Amino acid sequence: MRKLFLSLVLIFFSGFLHSQNDRIQLDRYAEENKSLSRKPEVILIGNSITENWVRFHPDFFKNNNFIGRGISGQTSEEILARFEQDVVSIKPKIVAILAGTNDIAENTGYVKTKEIVANIVAMCELAKENAITPLICSVLPCSEFRWNPDVRDAGKRIVKLNKMLKKYADENGIIYVDYHSVTVDDNLGLPEKYSYDGCHPTSECYSIMERRLVVAVGNVTMNDKAYYVTPQ
């Protein structure tokens, strides 16, 4: 019954948003998904931070049998809408979910923090129902959004969101991958050495994130595999 309910939720989101396909980009990775030569161990799903990660550090993905499914500008609701085709249908061992920045940036309007959490929880539950282990990644620091300067207290909202995500993860036996605490500055943003605009990571920042992520992946797989991390 629970699996049916979650499937209906996903169908609702996909159907509701399909009319906005140009923005949601439901078909963005359709051909790549069909042409995969082997099942990836890990899928990273998210927004521009994930999308840029593949561009900055392609060897991290290739050498570890990871793939990225990030789309710039997307909110957690939009990522949830394509979770079936970009994660569930591929059946990886693990999915690393990094979402929420663009909700707080109000890319599609104001979103309550609890609604962001609900979307990420729905992704986790869908993953688990399909024998995929979810990892919840903290939202990276950002004290202000250059593309929407009217948003106030972004850094504090991100801290609140991360606390809620960690609480859910801890209570449900899900690994929480903490990028925030090792990259944040005194203003609750990303320092210049880690970002070119205060929100999006530099190559050095991605290397730090990689070290955190591969530890989490190793804790799931429980094997002796040495994962590749891009040198700083």
Side-chain angles (χ1 to χ4, degrees):
M1 181 63 71
R2 185 180 180 188
K3 187 172 183 178
L4 175 61
F5 173 75
L6 288 168
S7 297
L8 289 173
V9 168
L10 190 57
I11 290 169
F12 168 78
F13 272 112
S14 297
F16 178 74
L17 295 171
H18 197 275
S19 62
Q20 304 178 59
N21 188 42
D22 287 346
R23 177 168 60 85
I24 307 302
Q25 300 182 62
L26 290 172
D27 299 327
R28 165 69 180 278
Y29 292 105
E31 290 305 315
E32 289 183 44
N33 292 344
K34 290 177 184 177
S35 63
L36 288 170
S37 59
R38 59 173 174 165
K39 185 186 299 185
E41 183 170 36
V42 182
I43 293 179
L44 282 66
I45 192 165
N47 48 45
S48 59
I49 294 171
T50 301
E51 184 176 19
N52 291 342
W53 199 338
V54 179
R55 294 172 179 166
F56 275 55
H57 292 174
D59 288 345
F60 173 70
F61 291 84
K62 181 180 178 181
N63 293 347
N64 292 321
N65 190 26
F66 296 176
I67 62 172
R69 290 295 180 262
I71 296 181
S72 178
Q74 288 205 330
T75 63
S76 61
E77 182 181 61
E78 294 165 339
I79 296 166
L80 173 60
R82 61 185 177 86
F83 197 82
E84 168 68 33
Q85 67 183 39
D86 284 345
V87 177
V88 174
S89 67
I90 300 172
K91 300 187 183 303
K93 292 180 181 178
I94 299 166
V95 59
I97 302 165
L98 176 51
T101 301
N102 292 315
D103 301 72
I104 293 174
E106 300 182 16
N107 281 21
T108 57
Y110 179 78
V111 183
K112 294 179 180 179
T113 307
K114 66 180 181 180
E115 293 172 351
I116 306 171
V117 174
N119 289 331
I120 294 171
V121 167
M123 290 185 237
C124 290
E125 294 300 312
L126 284 164
K128 290 191 289 185
E129 289 289 347
N130 287 277
I132 301 166
T133 300
L135 303 176
I136 296 178
C137 302
S138 71
V139 175
L140 286 165
C142 187
S143 57
E144 62 180 356
F145 303 107
R146 293 185 183 179
W147 63 96
N148 191 358
D150 293 333
V151 174
R152 304 298 180 188
D153 295 325
K156 291 180 180 179
R157 281 203 67 194
I158 289 171
V159 169
K160 179 182 178 181
L161 171 60
N162 284 337
K163 287 181 179 179
M164 294 172 70
L165 291 174
K166 187 176 188 304
K167 182 175 185 293
Y168 166 76
D170 290 345
E171 291 175 351
N172 289 273
I174 296 172
I175 295 175
Y176 175 79
V177 187
D178 181 11
Y179 301 141
H180 191 279
S181 67
V182 292
T183 57
V184 68
D185 65 14
D186 292 339
N187 297 315
L188 298 180
L190 281 173
E192 287 185 8
K193 66 178 180 178
Y194 292 153
S195 178
Y196 54 87
D197 65 356
C199 292
H200 293 89
T202 59
S203 178
E204 182 178 359
C205 188
Y206 279 124
S207 292
I208 293 170
M209 293 163 65
E210 287 169 13
R211 288 198 293 272
R212 290 264 165 151
L213 180 60
V214 298
V215 169
V217 170
N219 287 337
V220 173
T221 59
M222 299 297 289
N223 60 34
D224 296 327
K225 179 178 178 179
Y227 290 96
Y228 174 84
V229 173
T230 309
Q232 286 183 244

